[in-house]
Amino acid sequence: MDYPQFRKLEGAPNLYAIEGPKHVTEWQPLGTGKWVVHQHYASDYPRYQWVTELLQGDEPVCTLTVEGWHRLLNEREVVSEETAPGRIPGAPVQASWKDEAAVGPLTTFGATAHAHCLAEVATDAEVRWALQDRAALPLMVLGGGSNVLMHRDWKGRMLHMNIRGVQKIADDGNAIEVVVGAGDSWHDWVMHALDEGWNGLENLALIPGSVGASPMQNIGAYGVEVKDRFAWLEAIHRETGALERFDAERCAFGYRDSVFKQAEKDKWVIVRVAFRLDRSAPLNTQYGAIQTELESRGWDRGTTHRQVAEAVMAIRQSKLPDPSEVGNAGSFFKNPVVSQAVFERIQSDHPEVAHYPAPGGKVKLAAGWLIDRAGWKGYRRGTCGVHDRQALVLVNYGGATGAEVWALALDIMEDVEAKYGVRLEPEVNQVGL
Ligand code: EPU
């Protein structure tokens, strides 16, 4: 673990925590008894060079141990802190491992499984501790557990993300930038934002899961995706401990996709996410079902952001099973994106096939429609089945194992492929398959 590293200026009280190759936190003295904290992001050459020089630790800089750094830090009181949920470099670690922990209840699917050891982490320092401790064991990060199916026990370390908190960092009277801990519940955050009048996420109400998982698969619903309101995220590198920022470009967002599912898969732990919201955000009500729902409630004139959220919640509740009642992980499959030629072939046999335009002249088919028309909607096989109001969702009626759910998923995939010539792909992460 190369980060964080602690430095001090010779002959001056300033303290530095180098959090990664491009990120330094500085404690600057104010009067005799106080610190002001600054975050420095090295986004260009001179500042990048400055971090490199601090790292080298040559005069006029000296290297401190974490204990030495804490001793000096505690001599003064922090009065202003440009900080964010969980970001206290070198904070004392209170987390510990729980051996042979049941992790089924931490997932919304609820398939029975254990982790060899499990730790809840609530700060960056605890994340780094968990990354270094028992390092010979493989590591898995669990957020809200709403997008995983456990196929068997996890024979390694499981880190349950619990960094929480909401902090506004910019506000020009209309636009707001807010940082949210990766361990906060997505839906609670959306509701909190609406309470504050920070708008733009209302169409994403009631999506199960955590804030930290939201950019990973670029969650989306009713015409809005997380990328539309994403500002940046911070993540800790699993091997070096470096804290780095990812802007939207570096995240490479796609349909239920990001760099964290591709080139950077399993390399980072997302610790917080910043959003750009807007008091006067335009309303997204063009998605058919929303408009109908608003009209049925007489809310189609002077509609508020809160009303859009309530319409979305009502639609979701009418179609999707509540994970607290019946285990599920939302859409089990992605909507397949096919070429125009494949689409035309399917449409000639099935003129009513549900579809949407996709980037690059391609066509996105509704997997729910394909599964439904193939006859699987409401099908039940022992402990698991296909939801009776939304064929895209597989459900655990109680006691289902990952293997049982997967056997059903494979049968559906094979049947849809045989009938329509399209191979479905799971959207839910399969652990231990
Ligand atoms: N359809 C059927 N039968 C079904 C389900 C759907 O015929 O059992 C048809 C519908 O009539 C409609 C089309 O398929 O014409 C699309 O259905 P819907 O609008 O319900 O959306 P979806 O494509 O099934 C996607 C997301 C959902 C998201 C909704 C709303 C994916 C994989 N799923 O579902 O996301 O809530 O749109 O925007 O992209 C999730 O990711 O977990 C999730 C629930």
Side-chain angles (χ1 to χ4, degrees):
M1 189 84 16
D2 303 334
Y3 300 95
Q5 297 207 20
F6 300 100
R7 302 285 186 269
K8 179 186 172 306
L9 276 190
E10 302 264 22
N14 299 48
L15 298 178
Y16 301 93
I18 307 168
E19 305 234 35
K22 294 180 185 167
H23 188 162
V24 174
T25 307
E26 177 181 16
W27 282 259
Q28 186 188 24
L30 180 72
T32 49
K34 294 178 175 163
W35 292 119
V36 182
V37 184
H38 304 284
Q39 302 293 334
H40 299 283
Y41 303 99
S43 52
D44 51 22
Y45 171 73
R47 273 174 281 186
Y48 193 78
Q49 184 62 20
W50 175 66
V51 181
T52 309
E53 283 166 13
L54 274 180
L55 271 174
Q56 283 164 350
D58 298 337
E59 276 188 71
V61 174
C62 60
T63 300
L64 299 172
T65 61
V66 64
E67 296 79 18
W69 175 83
H70 265 294
R71 203 163 356 92
L72 292 171
L73 189 74
N74 291 338
E75 287 176 0
R76 291 163 187 263
E77 180 202 352
V78 174
V79 286
S80 89
E81 210 172 344
E82 257 188 61
T83 188
R87 186 163 61 203
I88 317 160
V93 169
Q94 279 154 11
S96 60
W97 295 112
K98 186 175 168 203
D99 293 318
E100 295 310 323
V103 295
L106 300 179
T107 71
T108 59
F109 228 121
T112 310
H114 289 78
H116 178 66
C117 57
L118 170 80
E120 292 247 337
V121 289
T123 62
D124 291 10
E126 291 184 349
V127 171
R128 287 177 172 127
W129 162 80
L131 291 174
Q132 280 184 96
D133 205 52
R134 306 191 179 183
L137 294 170
L139 178 85
M140 172 181 165
V141 181
L142 189 69
S146 62
N147 206 40
V148 287
L149 177 62
M150 300 294 298
H151 287 254
R152 54 172 60 94
D153 289 346
W154 176 253
K155 301 285 182 204
R157 295 168 291 165
M158 192 178 284
L159 189 159
H160 190 212
M161 174 51 64
N162 198 26
I163 294 179
R164 287 168 182 271
V166 173
Q167 194 188 14
K168 184 168 80 172
I169 52 170
D171 188 346
D172 70 3
N174 183 42
I176 307 102
E177 190 166 313
V178 195
V179 192
V180 188
D184 270 318
S185 135
W186 173 263
H187 176 69
D188 291 353
W189 151 238
V190 171
M191 290 295 115
H192 177 91
L194 280 171
D195 287 344
E196 297 281 351
W198 305 336
N199 300 318
L201 294 174
E202 49 284 346
N203 294 46
L204 304 180
L206 218 58
I207 295 186
S210 63
V211 168
S214 66
M216 205 128 166
Q217 48 155 348
N218 183 25
I219 59 171
Y222 306 103
V224 176
E225 289 180 321
V226 123
K227 75 168 172 49
D228 303 328
R229 290 291 168 185
F230 176 89
W232 47 264
L233 62 79
E234 284 180 347
I236 294 178
H237 193 269
R238 289 188 180 199
E239 270 161 33
T240 65
L243 180 74
E244 288 196 25
R245 272 199 179 195
F246 287 71
D247 60 12
E249 193 186 345
R250 196 174 171 200
C251 288
F253 291 121
Y255 165 59
R256 294 293 192 278
D257 198 29
S258 76
V259 74
F260 301 103
K261 288 177 86 175
Q262 304 293 338
E264 302 294 331
K265 187 172 161 60
D266 294 338
K267 292 191 182 150
W268 300 88
V269 179
I270 295 172
V271 288
R272 56 201 145 258
V273 184
F275 300 89
R276 265 188 214 111
L277 302 173
D278 200 336
R279 290 191 173 80
S280 58
L283 296 171
N284 282 289
T285 58
Q286 69 282 28
Y287 200 96
I290 295 191
Q291 197 56 42
T292 315
E293 183 68 30
L294 290 170
E295 280 164 24
S296 76
R297 293 168 177 238
W299 287 352
D300 49 326
R301 274 197 222 125
T303 310
T304 64
H305 297 89
R306 164 77 57 177
Q307 288 172 339
V308 173
E310 290 191 8
V312 165
M313 285 157 68
I315 300 165
R316 289 187 75 96
Q317 278 163 340
S318 72
K319 289 204 312 188
L320 297 169
D322 178 351
S324 66
E325 287 164 16
V326 52
N328 75 91
S331 304
F332 193 90
F333 301 101
K334 286 199 214 183
N335 284 330
V337 177
V338 300
S339 67
Q340 184 68 27
V342 169
F343 167 66
E344 281 168 14
R345 177 182 52 71
I346 296 172
Q347 200 189 31
S348 69
D349 294 339
H350 310 277
E352 69 293 7
V353 62
H355 64 282
Y356 319 92
K362 297 197 165 187
V363 181
K364 194 195 271 181
L365 301 174
W369 186 94
L370 298 170
I371 299 167
D372 185 348
R373 296 313 139 100
W376 291 94
K377 194 167 177 171
Y379 171 84
R380 179 167 179 168
R381 183 187 286 171
T383 53
C384 58
V386 180
H387 188 51
D388 56 2
R389 277 169 283 150
Q390 167 55 288
L392 202 45
V393 178
L394 301 190
V395 292
N396 173 5
Y397 287 111
T401 63
E404 285 164 352
V405 177
W406 186 244
L408 172 61
L410 283 177
D411 286 349
I412 295 172
M413 285 155 78
E414 271 160 32
D415 190 39
V416 166
E417 192 170 11
K419 290 188 169 122
Y420 302 98
V422 176
R423 182 81 183 164
L424 295 179
E425 264 181 52
E427 199 252 315
V428 171
N429 295 312
Q430 308 295 322
V431 175
L433 182 62

